[in-house]
Amino acid sequence: MPEGDTILSAARRVGAALVGMPIVTIETPQPRHALDRWPERLGGRAVCAVDARGKHLFIRFEGDLTLHSHLRMTGLWGVYRRGERWRRSPRRAWLVIRTEQHEVVEFDGPVLELMTDSRTRFDRRLAALGPDVLAAEFDERRFIELLRADDPSRGIGDVLLDQRNVAGIGNMWKAEGCFLAAIDPWRRLRDLADAEALAIVRELRPLMQASAEGRRGGRRWVHERAGRPCLRCQTPIRARGQGDDNRTTYWCPSCQG
Ligand SMILES: [Zn+2]
């Protein structure tokens, strides 16, 4: 599943291809968007900016119109030179924006909507997002306020995936962050100090920022390593579904005891 770092990296690539470039065509191949007339509504408008917030991506056009997208579990943004082969089948494309040099394609993107720029500021779901883990300045105070307003019986692993507490963390980074801060993802909020919650985010921010800049690097300590020896202490890594969505969480019972 794409997490905030993947979306920020996509926003930078999409922005580099579109901002300030004349748009040649816009297509919405899926039947769901057949009546939306986006090509007519967006025709002749330039893209002013492309930005990300958490796992949401925004393509902002001149004249107060913004395309908002969320990739959910399987979506992907592709940026190709004209004529280059796409990484997924054209049948899976939801949005295709062409300039003279590039094709920008959203594949498998079930959340795709055109809204006014002002609505992106007042939209209930977007307004409810917690501070962005990838923001240049992370609002730690707000994050702690939101955490303390949440159900104190929730495990921190579950809490971190709730985009209303902090935006941009997905299942992989959640598990890695808890490991790096030596915190058991099953610890309940009520048993977690503010400093411990902040330690997880402080561990994650530089790693996710590096990833967004294409510097992948670094090992995965626990994610998808169930049953294999911990890279620090050799204890077998454990895995179990957590939270309402039953997302698998991975942890070392010794390092994160
Ligand atoms: Zn360990």
Side-chain angles (χ1 to χ4, degrees):
M1 178 173 189
E3 303 190 25
D5 51 325
T6 306
I7 302 302
L8 181 56
S9 158
R12 287 174 178 159
R13 286 182 295 116
V14 170
L18 295 184
V19 174
M21 304 293 169
I23 306 294
V24 177
T25 60
I26 296 179
E27 289 167 23
T28 51
Q30 300 297 324
R32 194 197 292 178
H33 293 295
L35 300 176
D36 289 350
R37 299 187 306 105
W38 290 355
E40 290 93 320
R41 294 172 66 191
L42 294 172
R45 294 175 196 251
V47 172
C48 318
V50 179
D51 52 279
R53 214 175 129 206
K55 301 179 191 174
H56 300 259
L57 186 144
F58 303 90
I59 302 179
R60 302 184 193 276
F61 289 81
E62 287 175 329
D64 197 40
L65 280 177
T66 293
L67 275 172
H68 162 231
S69 93
H70 189 295
L71 298 176
R72 297 258 191 241
M73 299 300 278
T74 58
L76 172 79
W77 280 99
V79 178
Y80 307 100
R81 297 216 145 258
R82 289 288 287 262
E84 191 184 339
R85 192 181 164 79
W86 294 358
R87 271 173 62 194
R88 289 190 187 175
S89 159
R91 283 195 306 279
R92 295 166 72 178
W94 284 71
L95 176 70
V96 185
I97 303 178
R98 289 193 180 84
T99 66
E100 290 292 343
Q101 273 99 35
H102 290 99
E103 291 175 316
V104 171
V105 189
E106 192 202 35
F107 296 99
D108 302 312
V111 178
L112 186 62
E113 56 187 348
L114 187 61
M115 45 170 57
T116 61
D117 210 34
S118 42
R119 213 191 112 203
T120 66
R121 282 190 290 277
F122 294 109
D123 182 89
R124 201 164 43 83
R125 295 155 307 160
L126 297 173
L129 288 175
D132 190 335
V133 66
L134 283 158
E137 302 278 338
F138 181 73
D139 190 344
E140 296 191 336
R141 244 179 66 183
R142 178 80 186 130
F143 171 58
I144 293 299
E145 276 172 16
L146 291 165
L147 229 56
R148 293 309 171 202
D150 201 344
D151 172 358
S153 70
R154 278 180 106 180
I156 182 64
D158 185 30
V159 165
L160 290 171
L161 286 186
D162 190 331
Q163 304 296 300
R164 294 170 297 184
N165 290 322
V166 51
I169 297 178
N171 206 41
M172 189 270 284
W173 285 119
K174 166 205 75 179
E176 295 295 307
C178 287
F179 177 86
L180 290 166
I183 287 166
D184 184 334
W186 299 90
R187 279 261 295 283
R188 295 178 189 281
L189 266 186
R190 69 163 71 93
D191 301 324
L192 194 76
D194 292 352
E196 292 177 305
L198 288 174
I200 300 173
V201 173
R202 287 177 186 169
E203 290 285 351
L204 283 180
R205 278 172 48 77
L207 295 176
M208 292 183 74
Q209 278 159 348
S211 167
E213 285 159 18
R215 292 183 280 121
R216 262 282 163 204
R219 62 185 94 195
R220 297 290 166 253
W221 295 93
V222 290
H223 185 251
E224 294 185 340
R225 297 195 69 250
R228 294 166 66 193
C230 172
L231 295 165
R232 271 193 188 145
C233 75
Q234 309 301 313
T235 304
I237 299 300
R238 294 191 61 192
R240 183 147 48 100
Q242 184 176 26
D244 292 341
D245 295 332
N246 206 35
R247 303 293 305 282
T248 304
T249 204
Y250 300 86
W251 78 104
C252 170
S254 169
C255 291
Q256 297 166 264

